[in-house]
Each structure stands twice: as C-alpha cells, then as structure tokens.
C-alpha cells in the first residue's frame, strides 16, 4: 500500500500563464470518481477531522496554503500545501485534518469513491482500534 506522500505535478510554463494537471495513471494512483473543494474557510477553522475506511484522496492547494495533518494511529505528520503543482496523496485508513488555511485558500480534493457517509470514521479511538486490525 502506498504511503501518504506529496506527488509533484507537471508544470507547463508559459508566458501567458502556467498550467498543471493530473490524470490516472501517470500522476494519480487511482481513478477519480468525485471532486469537491473547500473554500471561504474562516481564519482558525479546521476541516475534515476523520478517516475513511475505503476511499483514497488527492489534495491540492489550488490557491493559498493550508496544512494537512495525517495520523497513522501512532504518529502525526504535517504536510504544508502551498503550491498548485504539488498534491498530497492520502490512502484509505489515515486520519486527516486540514487547518491553518490562508485567506482565500482553495483546497481541491479528488477521491476514488462517490460520497458515502458510511465510509467515514469520525471517532479517533475507533479509528485507532480499526487501524490496529489491519
Ligand atoms: P465532511 O466531509 O463531513 O466535511 P468536514 O469533515 O470538513 O466536516 O462534509 C461536510 C458535509 O458535506 C457533510 O454533511 C457531507 C457533505 N458532503 C457531501 O454531500 N458530498 C461530498 O462529496 C462531501 C465531501 C461532503
């Protein structure tokens, strides 16, 4: 299983403005089933404090910056996202929260699953128990 990691995206530099992209399988390790984005986050707010049983995600700071804190049940790792050509791959069964959003930041998130409330693990102790079973 791949670990959480930053995936650097292609950059097509152009005097008219730069362009980046990702697609499966060249940059993304999964096929996209859903896209959503988080925006207009008030200063100091935290989003997405949970884990997913099955879905994988890829998170890009399209604009501004924020931190993604990843917890594997034992230790936390902080990934600071502030480039529109870097994305964070988050496998299933990692607790993750997004915080420290800059003004006007825009978090783009793609997932390999359609929305399913039953895929969420929202209790950290339960997450740790399930994590120990894999
Ligand atoms: P949620 O993922 O719980 O955000 P956070 O963990 O930051 O609180 O999503 C917030 C709400 O939006 C929740 O009621 C579910 C809904 N939602 C959808 O309907 N579809 C989606 O694709 C996502 C990501 C959320």
């Amino acid at each position: 299983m791949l670990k959480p990691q930053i995936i650097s995206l292609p950059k097509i530099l152009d005097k008219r403005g730069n362009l980046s992209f990702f697609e499966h399988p060249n940059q993304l390790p999964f096929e996209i089933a859903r896209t959503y984005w988080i925006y207009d986050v008030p200063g100091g707010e935290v989003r997405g404090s949970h884990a997913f049983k099955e879905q994988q995600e890829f998170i890009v700071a399209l604009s501004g910056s924020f931190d993604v804190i990843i917890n594997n049940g034992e230790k936390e790792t902080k990934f600071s996202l502030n480039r529109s050509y870097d994305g964070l791959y988050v496998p299933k069964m990692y607790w993750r929260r997004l915080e420290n959003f800059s003004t006007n930041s825009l978090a783009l998130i793609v997932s390999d699953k359609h929305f399913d409330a039953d895929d969420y693990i929202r209790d950290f102790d339960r997450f740790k128990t399930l994590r120990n079973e894999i």
Side-chain angles (χ1 to χ4, degrees), residues 51-63:
F52 293 110
K53 287 179 242 175
E54 292 300 334
Q55 73 167 279
Q56 317 168 57
E57 293 188 321
F58 184 64
I59 305 174
V60 183
L62 280 188
S63 178

Side-chain angles (χ1 to χ4, degrees), residues 61 63-66 79-86:
S63 178
S65 62
F66 51 87
F79 294 90
S80 295
L81 298 183
N82 54 17
R83 305 278 181 213
S84 59
Y85 48 82
D86 281 340

Side-chain angles (χ1 to χ4, degrees), residues 34-38 46-50 52 55 57 96 98 109 113-117 120 122:
R34 180 165 52 104
T35 304
Y36 62 99
W37 49 100
I38 297 172
V46 174
R47 300 277 336 207
S49 208
H50 50 67
F52 293 110
Q55 73 167 279
E57 293 188 321
R96 50 73 152 180
L98 282 65
I109 305 174
K113 299 276 188 294
H114 294 144
F115 178 73
D116 177 8
Y120 283 68
R122 294 194 180 273

Side-chain angles (χ1 to χ4, degrees), residues 1-41:
M1 188 166 104
L2 284 176
K3 291 196 178 324
Q5 59 190 272
I6 297 288
I7 296 174
S8 294
L9 303 173
K11 273 185 277 181
I12 314 292
L13 301 180
D14 192 307
K15 279 190 282 230
R16 299 170 300 158
N18 302 332
L19 183 153
S20 287
F21 60 89
F22 53 82
E23 63 182 15
H24 171 78
N26 291 336
Q27 292 81 29
L28 261 197
F30 58 81
E31 283 197 67
I32 299 170
R34 180 165 52 104
T35 304
Y36 62 99
W37 49 100
I38 297 172
Y39 54 99
D40 289 348
V41 179

Side-chain angles (χ1 to χ4, degrees), residues 80-126:
S80 295
L81 298 183
N82 54 17
R83 305 278 181 213
S84 59
Y85 48 82
D86 281 340
L88 175 65
Y89 170 64
V90 185
K92 67 179 183 178
M93 287 304 285
Y94 281 84
W95 191 270
R96 50 73 152 180
R97 67 176 195 274
L98 282 65
E99 61 185 32
N100 198 21
F101 287 87
S102 69
T103 305
N104 287 331
S105 56
L106 173 58
L108 176 75
I109 305 174
V110 297
S111 164
D112 68 334
K113 299 276 188 294
H114 294 144
F115 178 73
D116 177 8
D118 290 339
D119 196 43
Y120 283 68
I121 307 169
R122 294 194 180 273
D123 180 83
F124 188 71
D125 287 335
R126 179 151 176 270

